[in-house]
Amino acid sequence: MENKITEYRNKLGITQEELAHFVGVTRQTIISLEQNRYNPSLLLAHRISQVLKRPHIEDVFLLDKLEKIF
């Protein structure tokens, strides 16, 4: 699953460390998410979307076409 965490985080001037603190994970988790090496739980995706001031999880986390079908 691709995401726009880095883009929205940079627009808000939030560091990876700050985002990690705000959502209750480690900076390493944020790095893994930004590099698309890790898919978050629904709760974590929701928290990240809220901190990044996005009204919908789908604004931050992008499902590919195959994932949308199933």
Side-chain angles (χ1 to χ4, degrees):
M1 172 182 342
E2 294 183 29
N3 67 71
K4 294 185 173 187
I5 296 172
T6 305
E7 177 185 337
Y8 292 132
R9 183 177 57 73
N10 288 334
K11 283 183 180 180
L12 293 172
I14 298 172
T15 66
Q16 290 174 331
E17 187 75 34
E18 290 169 329
L19 179 57
H21 174 74
F22 293 148
V23 300
V25 298
T26 65
R27 180 174 171 261
Q28 188 61 40
T29 298
I30 299 301
I31 291 168
S32 293
L33 286 165
E34 288 185 352
Q35 294 176 349
N36 299 311
R37 291 187 288 145
Y38 171 71
N39 290 331
S41 67
L42 184 56
L43 179 59
L44 179 55
H46 177 71
R47 288 178 181 161
I48 291 170
S49 298
Q50 285 183 320
V51 170
L52 297 178
K53 301 187 186 304
R54 298 288 120 196
H56 306 288
I57 293 172
E58 297 85 358
D59 294 338
V60 179
F61 297 93
L62 312 170
L63 299 174
D64 68 23
K65 292 177 185 175
L66 184 58
E67 288 176 327
K68 287 181 183 177
I69 293 171
F70 298 101

